[in-house]
Amino acid sequence: QVRLVESGGGSVQAGGSLRLSCAASTYNSYSCMGWFRQAPGKEREGVAFIHGGDGSTYYTDSVKGRFTISQDTARNTVYLQMDSLRPEDTAMYYCAAALWRSSCTVVAQYEVNYWGQGTQVTVSS
């Protein structure tokens, strides 16, 4: 069992920045950790992921160049730095862990083994 504890999030004006953190109870070098987000009335979508072993990353097109995912393996923690935020980034953000993966390209919801509780990000115009 892996427990994911999220922190960060909140409300910010467009153009601002926020940082999300996700601390895992255990570390798996063959896992992908990252975030999905879900806006009201929309499907949950994968945002960014990082591989626990080689540090390779994946970003959905809409956040490329604005969001940066990183990890501190000593603390079993993954960070999502969100810059140049837009109102369309408003959503509930969920930390996710998909185990035993060789690549983090396109992590589907059904491939996620563990979820965080979610943290709200609100961007006002």
Side-chain angles (χ1 to χ4, degrees):
Q1 187 76 13
V2 177
R3 184 175 178 226
L4 303 177
V5 179
E6 301 168 4
S7 59
S11 297
V12 67
Q13 289 191 327
S17 299
L18 288 171
R19 189 175 84 155
L20 305 182
S21 299
C22 177
S25 58
T26 186
Y27 171 72
N28 186 322
S29 63
Y30 295 99
S31 66
C32 294
M33 285 189 62
W35 274 269
F36 283 77
R37 67 184 179 186
Q38 187 167 22
K42 294 189 177 181
E43 292 188 359
R44 192 172 294 191
E45 65 167 345
V47 177
F49 296 92
I50 188 165
H51 195 273
D54 63 15
S56 58
T57 58
Y58 164 83
Y59 299 92
T60 193
D61 286 345
S62 62
V63 308
K64 286 180 180 177
R66 301 188 299 120
F67 290 11
T68 303
I69 191 168
S70 61
Q71 63 184 351
D72 183 341
T73 56
R75 291 183 169 83
N76 296 347
T77 301
V78 174
Y79 304 96
L80 184 66
Q81 178 66 40
M82 304 184 293
D83 298 318
S84 302
L85 282 161
R86 304 168 180 169
E88 53 264 39
D89 294 317
T90 295
M92 185 70 78
Y93 284 69
Y94 296 92
C95 182
L99 304 183
W100 306 112
R101 297 266 309 203
S102 60
S103 169
C104 296
T105 302
V106 189
V107 177
Q109 288 190 60
Y110 70 87
E111 296 174 300
V112 174
N113 300 98
Y114 300 100
W115 293 95
Q117 77 280 8
T119 185
Q120 179 68 37
V121 171
T122 302
V123 185
S124 58
S125 57

